[in-house]
Amino acid sequence: MKIGVSSYSFHQAVEAGTLSTYGIVDTAARMGFASIDFAVLLGDDPLEEMCARLGRQARDAGLDVANYAVAADFLNNDLDAEVARVQGEVENAVRLGARTFRHDGAWGLPKDGSARTFQQALPRIAEGCRRVTEYAAARGIRTMVENHGTFLQDSLRLEQLVAAVDHANFGLLVDMGNFLCADEAPEAAVGRLAPYAFHAHAKDFLYKPCTARDPGRTWFATRAGAYLRGTVIGHGVVPVEAALRILQRAGFDDVVAIEFEGVEPCLEAVQLGYENLQAML
């Protein structure tokens, strides 16, 4: 496995104005990462221009561009329009030189009441994913959804989506920490989904049970009312090392990218997370 980093890990510094989006690339290279993901790109330049420039920067720095990630919702937007928009983002993945492209499937049941359960909503999500991956396959890019949010999150739901899309170009970005958002044991979820993994995220969380008092700012609630806060890899409760072993046993041998979401200073947190992840591997 190669260790990568998501550009989102530096979001804190970019928002504070102490690091530019373009500065992320050289920072990641100096830290020793072999690969980079791009997500939530902030800046004044047009997105197409930014992606082309970041792609050139990454190549010049010797960084593999593993993935480009965007938001999407095939349930609460017009399906044809949303598919077309996400297909357009595939072109930005091409500009970046990314090998994979992660988009969301849905963030919740349709507000118009056309589906009341995940099973009723599944065919429409699968149609959107299939149309995007058919387009991306022609561009040489594999597509994925991620266990992201609290709706399209559980490992069983994601496995059902892979089966419903039924396309060799479509798989999963397995984020070993995010399963806690839906109160699912990460090791069990990674074990279920490892055969479908095209890419992986290493992430860690601090945790308080649903019986605890709300810890306040910087924490968020899981679907069942527990509390999470992002932290440095190796400092929280996510069984990162066990998840790595599970992925390896399943034959996964690609990039595991750090995605830091904590409140610790991000440059120090990402560097320490890299060191801890290296030790685990």
Side-chain angles (χ1 to χ4, degrees):
M1 293 186 196
K2 291 192 297 185
I3 299 178
V5 64
S6 169
S7 67
Y8 189 74
S9 300
F10 303 97
H11 195 70
Q12 177 193 109
V14 175
E15 285 203 315
T18 58
L19 184 68
S20 72
T21 296
Y22 298 119
I24 290 172
V25 175
D26 291 336
T27 300
R30 281 197 306 271
M31 286 181 170
F33 288 101
S35 178
I36 189 166
D37 296 1
F38 289 105
V40 193
L41 301 178
L42 302 179
D44 296 329
D45 293 337
L47 183 57
E48 294 84 355
E49 179 181 321
M50 182 176 288
C51 288
R53 179 175 169 183
L54 288 167
R56 290 192 299 270
Q57 271 193 287
R59 288 190 293 275
D60 290 345
L63 288 174
D64 162 59
V65 180
N67 184 59
Y68 175 51
V70 302
D73 190 335
F74 297 126
L75 289 182
N76 289 290
N77 295 302
D78 177 84
L79 182 58
D80 290 339
E82 187 71 340
V83 166
R85 184 189 68 80
V86 178
Q87 288 173 341
E89 289 279 20
V90 171
E91 297 304 320
N92 285 325
V94 172
R95 293 180 180 98
L96 286 164
R99 294 183 288 108
T100 61
F101 173 66
R102 189 279 282 168
H103 60 82
D104 300 307
W107 285 92
L109 289 169
K111 296 180 178 64
D112 62 8
S114 57
R116 297 182 60 198
T117 68
F118 174 77
Q119 294 301 328
Q120 291 173 337
L122 179 58
R124 177 166 168 156
I125 302 172
E127 180 186 346
C129 293
R130 189 180 308 110
R131 289 166 62 182
V132 170
T133 207
E134 288 170 348
Y135 179 91
R139 307 294 277 134
I141 294 176
R142 298 196 295 176
T143 70
M144 312 172 291
V145 296
E146 178 183 358
N147 50 310
H148 196 206
T150 57
F151 177 68
L152 193 56
Q153 170 63 285
D154 315 63
S155 61
L156 182 58
R157 289 184 177 185
L158 287 165
E159 187 175 46
Q160 290 173 332
L161 178 60
V162 170
V165 175
D166 192 24
H167 197 291
N169 199 59
F170 179 79
L172 298 175
L173 192 167
V174 175
D175 185 307
M176 57 188 68
N178 278 354
F179 294 107
L180 287 176
C181 301
D183 308 281
E184 187 172 13
E187 64 275 18
V190 173
R192 182 192 298 275
L193 298 182
Y196 318 113
F198 286 176
H199 190 53
H201 276 172
K203 183 183 294 175
D204 214 344
F205 284 116
L206 301 177
Y207 173 86
K208 288 183 179 292
C210 61
T211 52
R213 184 180 180 187
D214 185 342
R217 290 188 302 111
T218 76
W219 292 75
F220 65 93
T222 71
R223 195 165 63 195
Y227 300 98
L228 298 174
R229 198 196 84 186
T231 192
V232 176
I233 290 170
H235 289 194
V237 301
V238 177
V240 175
E241 191 165 1
L244 293 170
R245 288 197 301 269
I246 293 164
L247 287 166
Q248 285 176 323
R249 284 199 297 267
F252 180 83
D253 189 26
D254 209 294
V255 173
V256 177
I258 291 172
E259 188 177 49
F260 171 69
E261 297 180 350
V263 299
E264 299 91 340
C266 66
L267 297 182
E268 181 181 355
V270 170
Q271 184 69 65
L272 182 53
Y274 174 61
E275 294 167 8
N276 288 345
L277 195 58
Q278 272 189 316
M280 293 176 191
L281 284 170

